[in-house]
PDB file of all heavy atoms in Angstrom:
ATOM      1  N   THR A  82       6.293   6.768  -0.418  1.00 94.00           N
ATOM      2  CA  THR A  82       5.214   7.318   0.403  1.00 94.00           C
ATOM      3  C   THR A  82       4.580   6.115   1.127  1.00 94.00           C
ATOM      4  O   THR A  82       4.252   5.113   0.447  1.00 94.00           O
ATOM      5  CB  THR A  82       4.279   8.227  -0.354  1.00 94.00           C
ATOM      6  OG1 THR A  82       3.210   8.703   0.492  1.00 94.00           O
ATOM      7  CG2 THR A  82       3.659   7.540  -1.602  1.00 94.00           C
ATOM      8  N   ARG A  83       4.396   6.270   2.471  1.00 91.00           N
ATOM      9  CA  ARG A  83       4.111   5.039   3.269  1.00 91.00           C
ATOM     10  C   ARG A  83       2.746   4.946   3.773  1.00 91.00           C
ATOM     11  O   ARG A  83       2.108   5.906   4.142  1.00 91.00           O
ATOM     12  CB  ARG A  83       5.191   5.041   4.430  1.00 91.00           C
ATOM     13  CG  ARG A  83       5.015   3.920   5.434  1.00 91.00           C
ATOM     14  CD  ARG A  83       6.170   3.909   6.352  1.00 91.00           C
ATOM     15  NE  ARG A  83       6.134   2.706   7.210  1.00 91.00           N
ATOM     16  CZ  ARG A  83       5.875   2.770   8.576  1.00 91.00           C
ATOM     17  NH1 ARG A  83       5.755   3.867   9.105  1.00 91.00           N
ATOM     18  NH2 ARG A  83       5.889   1.582   9.229  1.00 91.00           N
ATOM     19  N   TRP A  84       2.193   3.683   3.920  1.00 84.00           N
ATOM     20  CA  TRP A  84       1.116   3.289   4.666  1.00 84.00           C
ATOM     21  C   TRP A  84       1.592   2.334   5.654  1.00 84.00           C
ATOM     22  O   TRP A  84       1.995   1.220   5.389  1.00 84.00           O
ATOM     23  CB  TRP A  84       0.044   2.660   3.752  1.00 84.00           C
ATOM     24  CG  TRP A  84      -1.278   2.316   4.434  1.00 84.00           C
ATOM     25  CD1 TRP A  84      -2.310   3.206   4.681  1.00 84.00           C
ATOM     26  CD2 TRP A  84      -1.635   1.082   5.039  1.00 84.00           C
ATOM     27  NE1 TRP A  84      -3.280   2.597   5.365  1.00 84.00           N
ATOM     28  CE2 TRP A  84      -2.944   1.288   5.553  1.00 84.00           C
ATOM     29  CE3 TRP A  84      -1.074  -0.183   5.024  1.00 84.00           C
ATOM     30  CZ2 TRP A  84      -3.654   0.176   6.174  1.00 84.00           C
ATOM     31  CZ3 TRP A  84      -1.790  -1.203   5.662  1.00 84.00           C
ATOM     32  CH2 TRP A  84      -3.033  -1.053   6.223  1.00 84.00           C
ATOM     33  N   ALA A  85       1.592   2.743   6.927  1.00 80.00           N
ATOM     34  CA  ALA A  85       2.327   2.013   7.925  1.00 80.00           C
ATOM     35  C   ALA A  85       1.738   0.635   8.218  1.00 80.00           C
ATOM     36  O   ALA A  85       0.547   0.349   8.297  1.00 80.00           O
ATOM     37  CB  ALA A  85       2.209   2.828   9.283  1.00 80.00           C
ATOM     38  N   THR A  86       2.690  -0.338   8.284  1.00 81.00           N
ATOM     39  CA  THR A  86       2.282  -1.696   8.788  1.00 81.00           C
ATOM     40  C   THR A  86       3.071  -1.986  10.101  1.00 81.00           C
ATOM     41  O   THR A  86       2.543  -2.030  11.158  1.00 81.00           O
ATOM     42  CB  THR A  86       2.558  -2.800   7.691  1.00 81.00           C
ATOM     43  OG1 THR A  86       3.918  -2.754   7.306  1.00 81.00           O
ATOM     44  CG2 THR A  86       1.698  -2.611   6.490  1.00 81.00           C
ATOM     45  N   HIS A  87       4.401  -2.153   9.881  1.00 83.00           N
ATOM     46  CA  HIS A  87       5.209  -2.421  11.102  1.00 83.00           C
ATOM     47  C   HIS A  87       5.854  -1.200  11.617  1.00 83.00           C
ATOM     48  O   HIS A  87       6.801  -0.637  10.973  1.00 83.00           O
ATOM     49  CB  HIS A  87       6.328  -3.373  10.686  1.00 83.00           C
ATOM     50  CG  HIS A  87       5.820  -4.786  10.273  1.00 83.00           C
ATOM     51  ND1 HIS A  87       5.038  -4.935   9.326  1.00 83.00           N
ATOM     52  CD2 HIS A  87       6.124  -6.027  10.860  1.00 83.00           C
ATOM     53  CE1 HIS A  87       4.709  -6.219   9.130  1.00 83.00           C
ATOM     54  NE2 HIS A  87       5.380  -6.916  10.050  1.00 83.00           N
ATOM     55  N   GLY A  88       5.302  -0.731  12.742  1.00 86.00           N
ATOM     56  CA  GLY A  88       5.849   0.538  13.345  1.00 86.00           C
ATOM     57  C   GLY A  88       5.022   1.696  12.862  1.00 86.00           C
ATOM     58  O   GLY A  88       4.620   1.733  11.777  1.00 86.00           O
ATOM     59  N   GLY A  89       4.733   2.661  13.809  1.00 84.00           N
ATOM     60  CA  GLY A  89       3.893   3.726  13.570  1.00 84.00           C
ATOM     61  C   GLY A  89       4.407   4.727  12.570  1.00 84.00           C
ATOM     62  O   GLY A  89       5.562   4.590  12.143  1.00 84.00           O
ATOM     63  N   PRO A  90       3.683   5.734  12.140  1.00 86.00           N
ATOM     64  CA  PRO A  90       4.126   6.754  11.183  1.00 86.00           C
ATOM     65  C   PRO A  90       5.060   7.789  11.786  1.00 86.00           C
ATOM     66  O   PRO A  90       4.591   8.897  12.084  1.00 86.00           O
ATOM     67  CB  PRO A  90       2.816   7.341  10.664  1.00 86.00           C
ATOM     68  CG  PRO A  90       1.861   7.114  11.809  1.00 86.00           C
ATOM     69  CD  PRO A  90       2.276   5.886  12.585  1.00 86.00           C
ATOM     70  N   THR A  91       6.311   7.423  11.983  1.00 93.00           N
ATOM     71  CA  THR A  91       7.254   8.324  12.663  1.00 93.00           C
ATOM     72  C   THR A  91       8.417   8.631  11.594  1.00 93.00           C
ATOM     73  O   THR A  91       8.455   7.909  10.545  1.00 93.00           O
ATOM     74  CB  THR A  91       7.946   7.702  13.785  1.00 93.00           C
ATOM     75  OG1 THR A  91       8.619   6.505  13.414  1.00 93.00           O
ATOM     76  CG2 THR A  91       6.885   7.280  14.878  1.00 93.00           C
ATOM     77  N   ASP A  92       9.220   9.641  11.849  1.00 93.00           N
ATOM     78  CA  ASP A  92      10.382   9.925  11.005  1.00 93.00           C
ATOM     79  C   ASP A  92      11.217   8.661  10.909  1.00 93.00           C
ATOM     80  O   ASP A  92      11.709   8.287   9.844  1.00 93.00           O
ATOM     81  CB  ASP A  92      11.212  11.041  11.653  1.00 93.00           C
ATOM     82  CG  ASP A  92      10.541  12.430  11.426  1.00 93.00           C
ATOM     83  OD1 ASP A  92       9.576  12.484  10.683  1.00 93.00           O
ATOM     84  OD2 ASP A  92      11.072  13.359  11.974  1.00 93.00           O
ATOM     85  N   GLN A  93      11.530   8.008  12.037  1.00 94.00           N
ATOM     86  CA  GLN A  93      12.423   6.836  12.048  1.00 94.00           C
ATOM     87  C   GLN A  93      11.855   5.668  11.180  1.00 94.00           C
ATOM     88  O   GLN A  93      12.608   5.033  10.533  1.00 94.00           O
ATOM     89  CB  GLN A  93      12.640   6.275  13.481  1.00 94.00           C
ATOM     90  CG  GLN A  93      13.574   7.056  14.299  1.00 94.00           C
ATOM     91  CD  GLN A  93      12.787   8.250  14.986  1.00 94.00           C
ATOM     92  OE1 GLN A  93      11.628   8.466  14.792  1.00 94.00           O
ATOM     93  NE2 GLN A  93      13.576   9.076  15.713  1.00 94.00           N
ATOM     94  N   ASN A  94      10.571   5.498  11.259  1.00 95.00           N
ATOM     95  CA  ASN A  94      10.004   4.372  10.538  1.00 95.00           C
ATOM     96  C   ASN A  94       9.719   4.632   9.060  1.00 95.00           C
ATOM     97  O   ASN A  94       9.529   3.737   8.289  1.00 95.00           O
ATOM     98  CB  ASN A  94       8.635   3.895  11.182  1.00 95.00           C
ATOM     99  CG  ASN A  94       8.884   3.226  12.502  1.00 95.00           C
ATOM    100  OD1 ASN A  94       9.917   2.684  12.754  1.00 95.00           O
ATOM    101  ND2 ASN A  94       7.927   3.389  13.392  1.00 95.00           N
ATOM    102  N   ALA A  95       9.818   6.017   8.707  1.00 96.00           N
ATOM    103  CA  ALA A  95       9.672   6.302   7.257  1.00 96.00           C
ATOM    104  C   ALA A  95      10.787   5.711   6.475  1.00 96.00           C
ATOM    105  O   ALA A  95      11.885   5.453   6.964  1.00 96.00           O
ATOM    106  CB  ALA A  95       9.677   7.874   7.120  1.00 96.00           C
ATOM    107  N   HIS A  96      10.526   5.443   5.224  1.00 96.00           N
ATOM    108  CA  HIS A  96      11.567   4.971   4.263  1.00 96.00           C
ATOM    109  C   HIS A  96      12.237   6.089   3.610  1.00 96.00           C
ATOM    110  O   HIS A  96      11.601   7.151   3.468  1.00 96.00           O
ATOM    111  CB  HIS A  96      10.952   3.977   3.207  1.00 96.00           C
ATOM    112  CG  HIS A  96      10.210   2.873   3.770  1.00 96.00           C
ATOM    113  ND1 HIS A  96       9.959   1.673   3.056  1.00 96.00           N
ATOM    114  CD2 HIS A  96       9.562   2.658   4.953  1.00 96.00           C
ATOM    115  CE1 HIS A  96       9.185   0.878   3.778  1.00 96.00           C
ATOM    116  NE2 HIS A  96       8.970   1.424   4.972  1.00 96.00           N
ATOM    117  N   PRO A  97      13.402   6.007   3.097  1.00 98.00           N
ATOM    118  CA  PRO A  97      14.298   4.828   2.961  1.00 98.00           C
ATOM    119  C   PRO A  97      14.975   4.409   4.302  1.00 98.00           C
ATOM    120  O   PRO A  97      15.071   5.217   5.223  1.00 98.00           O
ATOM    121  CB  PRO A  97      15.388   5.281   1.972  1.00 98.00           C
ATOM    122  CG  PRO A  97      14.980   6.610   1.443  1.00 98.00           C
ATOM    123  CD  PRO A  97      13.958   7.161   2.428  1.00 98.00           C
ATOM    124  N   HIS A  98      15.361   3.124   4.319  1.00 98.00           N
ATOM    125  CA  HIS A  98      16.169   2.657   5.383  1.00 98.00           C
ATOM    126  C   HIS A  98      17.589   2.315   4.821  1.00 98.00           C
ATOM    127  O   HIS A  98      17.789   2.010   3.575  1.00 98.00           O
ATOM    128  CB  HIS A  98      15.571   1.400   5.913  1.00 98.00           C
ATOM    129  CG  HIS A  98      14.216   1.795   6.714  1.00 98.00           C
ATOM    130  ND1 HIS A  98      14.301   2.376   7.982  1.00 98.00           N
ATOM    131  CD2 HIS A  98      12.971   1.711   6.344  1.00 98.00           C
ATOM    132  CE1 HIS A  98      13.068   2.663   8.332  1.00 98.00           C
ATOM    133  NE2 HIS A  98      12.256   2.287   7.400  1.00 98.00           N
ATOM    134  N   LEU A  99      18.572   2.345   5.690  1.00 98.00           N
ATOM    135  CA  LEU A  99      19.958   2.308   5.226  1.00 98.00           C
ATOM    136  C   LEU A  99      20.662   0.983   5.720  1.00 98.00           C
ATOM    137  O   LEU A  99      20.253   0.368   6.673  1.00 98.00           O
ATOM    138  CB  LEU A  99      20.752   3.424   5.882  1.00 98.00           C
ATOM    139  CG  LEU A  99      20.260   4.857   5.495  1.00 98.00           C
ATOM    140  CD1 LEU A  99      21.157   5.944   6.138  1.00 98.00           C
ATOM    141  CD2 LEU A  99      20.395   5.021   3.947  1.00 98.00           C
ATOM    142  N   SER A 100      21.683   0.613   4.929  1.00 98.00           N
ATOM    143  CA  SER A 100      22.504  -0.465   5.394  1.00 98.00           C
ATOM    144  C   SER A 100      23.424  -0.015   6.554  1.00 98.00           C
ATOM    145  O   SER A 100      23.456   1.139   6.863  1.00 98.00           O
ATOM    146  CB  SER A 100      23.473  -0.894   4.197  1.00 98.00           C
ATOM    147  OG  SER A 100      24.206   0.293   3.819  1.00 98.00           O
ATOM    148  N   ARG A 101      24.097  -0.993   7.155  1.00 97.00           N
ATOM    149  CA  ARG A 101      24.899  -0.649   8.366  1.00 97.00           C
ATOM    150  C   ARG A 101      25.855   0.427   8.103  1.00 97.00           C
ATOM    151  O   ARG A 101      26.081   1.335   8.893  1.00 97.00           O
ATOM    152  CB  ARG A 101      25.545  -1.912   8.927  1.00 97.00           C
ATOM    153  CG  ARG A 101      26.346  -1.644  10.163  1.00 97.00           C
ATOM    154  CD  ARG A 101      26.508  -2.791  11.081  1.00 97.00           C
ATOM    155  NE  ARG A 101      27.369  -3.826  10.515  1.00 97.00           N
ATOM    156  CZ  ARG A 101      27.665  -4.948  11.132  1.00 97.00           C
ATOM    157  NH1 ARG A 101      27.238  -5.133  12.385  1.00 97.00           N
ATOM    158  NH2 ARG A 101      28.478  -5.865  10.563  1.00 97.00           N
ATOM    159  N   ASP A 102      26.538   0.373   6.931  1.00 97.00           N
ATOM    160  CA  ASP A 102      27.606   1.373   6.592  1.00 97.00           C
ATOM    161  C   ASP A 102      26.979   2.660   6.046  1.00 97.00           C
ATOM    162  O   ASP A 102      27.760   3.569   5.704  1.00 97.00           O
ATOM    163  CB  ASP A 102      28.592   0.784   5.656  1.00 97.00           C
ATOM    164  CG  ASP A 102      27.991   0.357   4.293  1.00 97.00           C
ATOM    165  OD1 ASP A 102      26.820   0.653   4.106  1.00 97.00           O
ATOM    166  OD2 ASP A 102      28.739  -0.373   3.558  1.00 97.00           O
ATOM    167  N   GLY A 103      25.703   2.729   5.821  1.00 97.00           N
ATOM    168  CA  GLY A 103      25.067   3.983   5.418  1.00 97.00           C
ATOM    169  C   GLY A 103      25.278   4.189   3.914  1.00 97.00           C
ATOM    170  O   GLY A 103      24.961   5.287   3.405  1.00 97.00           O
ATOM    171  N   LYS A 104      25.871   3.288   3.209  1.00 98.00           N
ATOM    172  CA  LYS A 104      26.107   3.520   1.789  1.00 98.00           C
ATOM    173  C   LYS A 104      24.965   3.079   0.868  1.00 98.00           C
ATOM    174  O   LYS A 104      24.981   3.319  -0.357  1.00 98.00           O
ATOM    175  CB  LYS A 104      27.409   2.736   1.399  1.00 98.00           C
ATOM    176  CG  LYS A 104      28.637   3.214   1.926  1.00 98.00           C
ATOM    177  CD  LYS A 104      29.795   2.373   1.435  1.00 98.00           C
ATOM    178  CE  LYS A 104      31.117   2.906   1.822  1.00 98.00           C
ATOM    179  NZ  LYS A 104      32.250   2.061   1.292  1.00 98.00           N
ATOM    180  N   LEU A 105      24.059   2.298   1.451  1.00 98.00           N
ATOM    181  CA  LEU A 105      22.955   1.713   0.600  1.00 98.00           C
ATOM    182  C   LEU A 105      21.606   2.154   1.174  1.00 98.00           C
ATOM    183  O   LEU A 105      21.418   2.174   2.417  1.00 98.00           O
ATOM    184  CB  LEU A 105      23.113   0.199   0.646  1.00 98.00           C
ATOM    185  CG  LEU A 105      22.029  -0.617  -0.037  1.00 98.00           C
ATOM    186  CD1 LEU A 105      22.624  -1.935  -0.579  1.00 98.00           C
ATOM    187  CD2 LEU A 105      20.893  -1.038   0.900  1.00 98.00           C
TER     188      LEU A 105
END
Side-chain angles (χ1 to χ4, degrees):
T82 177
R83 178 169 187 248
W84 185 82
T86 57
H87 295 58
T91 62
D92 285 354
Q93 283 83 2
N94 290 333
H96 302 203
H98 292 280
L99 298 178
S100 57
R101 179 154 69 176
D102 60 10
K104 291 180 172 182
L105 175 148

